[in-house]
Amino acid sequence: MISERDPQTDRVIWIERLSPHGEVLSRHRIERLPIVIGRGYESDLLIDDPTLAARHLRIGRNDSGELVAEDLGSRNGLCLANRQRVERCVIELGADAVYSIGDTRLRLRGSTHAVPEERPIGSSGLASAWIAPLLGLLIAAQIMLSLWLQQTGEPAISKYLTVTVMALIMGVVWALVWSLVNRLFAGAMQFSRHLALTYAAAVVSSLITLTLETAAYSLSWPSVTRYRYLVFWLTAGLLCAGHLRLIGGDYRRFKLAVVAALTLLGVGASALSQRDARERTGPAVVVDELLPPAMRLAPAQTLDAFIADAEKLRAELDAARQETPHDEDGDDDF
């Protein structure tokens, strides 16, 4: 139970209101306890949140001097970080615990809480601001290298520039859409972070795809490229999960479960599509992309071996032509 005012036990505390992704939206200095937090004008700390009651939460000290938060019978109650609803809890100022009342997230700090050292002027956000451009340059280098390796005719500068610029623009549009969702649900766009995450996923996906294509050509393993769809869907799923983590908010596990389910659905659909294609045309026996001959590691087939394989294939085709065709019911067509 919260005791009445006792000036000797009162200490200055700070109540921080946090965004869904943990950034501090506002700080309020509290010099005397107990206080009432709510949406009504009679509250000591008024927060404009329609999910709060007029008198929602009381913070004070119990008879032992501990800092206590107590729900005042509100509809949405007091919840801990794990969304567990409680009527009353002890607050530890030294911890980073977050308390939710309605859609509002609060954190309490003592007046002696240590803060990081000050940063030099001009260094704020400098490292993070350069991550996306550097990743963009890496993507451009990967695209141009891939186009150059696959080039069989005269190089066309316009093709290099068009493909590279379109890829970078698509990444910007993708990141912008997620930034708008971030702004809608969390109050901040975080465009640079979403763009860096998008470009990072593109770099990883491109590296893995290029590695598979190189292995297929160099080692004469055309079946390796069969699994490129796994790279696409797994990268897309992890990318969406990363965007949702940046946005934050409630029901994180549910959102991640939905992303995982959609990813598995995409993988399954692609696998079925490839199986149908193999049934119609047979397994892949040639590579999709030609690379420079110097990258070939598998030994070249001799002329005699090639002719022997061709003769074997001709014998199989001749035998197939001699077979009597059957309809689906097993009856002869003739």
Side-chain angles (χ1 to χ4, degrees):
M1 181 176 179
I2 295 177
S3 61
E4 297 298 326
R5 291 182 183 272
D6 182 0
Q8 295 182 354
T9 61
D10 287 347
R11 302 185 185 94
V12 174
I13 64 172
W14 290 85
I15 298 180
E16 298 176 337
R17 185 181 180 188
L18 307 178
S19 68
H21 47 274
E23 294 182 351
V24 178
L25 300 177
S26 60
R27 290 186 175 92
H28 306 274
R29 180 185 175 94
I30 306 300
E31 297 183 353
R32 285 187 172 274
L33 296 174
I35 64 164
V36 173
I37 301 175
R39 188 163 45 90
Y41 288 98
E42 70 273 19
S43 301
D44 299 297
L45 177 56
L46 191 152
I47 298 179
D48 188 13
D49 180 351
T51 63
L52 298 187
R55 292 171 55 86
H56 196 110
L57 186 74
R58 179 188 290 118
I59 296 179
R61 297 189 184 275
N62 58 20
D63 296 336
S64 301
E66 297 174 315
L67 201 60
V68 176
E70 182 180 45
D71 179 35
L72 297 178
S74 64
R75 174 179 298 177
N76 295 320
L78 166 66
C79 296
L80 304 180
N82 58 1
R83 305 303 298 173
Q84 177 186 0
R85 183 165 177 170
V86 295
E87 294 183 0
R88 182 183 298 105
C89 66
V90 176
I91 298 175
E92 297 181 13
L93 291 179
D96 286 329
V98 176
Y99 307 92
S100 298
I101 51 174
D103 288 335
T104 298
R105 304 173 76 239
L106 302 176
R107 183 174 63 195
L108 280 75
R109 299 292 198 194
S111 58
T112 58
H113 181 77
V115 298
E117 294 184 0
E118 70 275 18
R119 286 184 281 193
I121 296 176
S123 65
S124 178
L126 184 60
S128 60
W130 281 99
I131 293 178
L134 289 176
L135 290 173
L137 290 176
L138 186 55
I139 291 174
Q142 286 181 328
I143 293 175
M144 292 185 179
L145 175 62
S146 179
L147 292 175
W148 179 77
L149 290 175
Q150 299 169 11
Q151 187 76 46
T152 57
E154 292 294 329
I157 302 301
S158 59
K159 180 180 180 180
Y160 285 71
L161 294 178
T162 301
V163 175
T164 302
V165 171
M166 288 300 298
L168 294 176
I169 290 177
M170 289 175 60
V172 170
V173 173
W174 173 272
L176 181 60
V177 171
W178 280 101
S179 297
L180 293 175
V181 175
N182 203 138
R183 179 68 177 85
L184 180 63
F185 290 99
M189 293 191 66
Q190 299 196 93
F191 175 73
S192 61
R193 293 185 179 181
H194 285 289
L195 183 60
L197 183 62
T198 302
Y199 282 170
V203 167
V204 173
S205 178
S206 299
L207 282 175
I208 297 176
T209 301
L210 183 59
T211 301
L212 292 178
E213 292 176 350
T214 303
Y217 177 81
S218 301
L219 304 174
S220 294
W221 292 344
S223 59
V224 171
T225 57
R226 183 189 309 169
Y227 304 101
R228 284 179 296 188
Y229 70 92
L230 286 175
V231 178
F232 171 80
W233 284 110
L234 291 178
T235 304
L238 291 174
L239 177 59
C240 292
H243 287 304
L244 291 174
R245 183 175 179 82
L246 278 179
I247 294 173
D250 300 328
Y251 308 108
R252 291 186 179 181
R253 292 184 178 179
F254 173 76
K255 295 173 185 176
L256 293 178
V258 171
V259 170
L262 293 176
T263 301
L264 293 177
L265 183 62
V267 170
S270 298
L272 290 175
S273 177
Q274 285 213 2
R275 189 192 66 177
D276 293 341
R278 287 196 301 271
E279 290 179 352
R280 292 193 304 267
T281 62
V285 294
V286 295
V287 295
D288 297 334
E289 305 292 345
L290 292 178
L291 300 177
M295 300 182 65
R296 288 280 296 173
L297 298 179
Q301 190 178 34
T302 63
L303 179 59
D304 293 339
F306 175 78
I307 294 176
D309 290 342
E311 290 294 337
K312 182 180 178 181
L313 178 61
R314 184 175 67 174
E316 293 177 355
L317 292 176
D318 290 340
R321 277 198 295 267
Q322 298 300 324
E323 294 180 358
T324 303
H326 298 276
D327 59 17
E328 295 181 354
D329 297 329
D331 298 330
D332 293 345
D333 292 339
F334 302 104

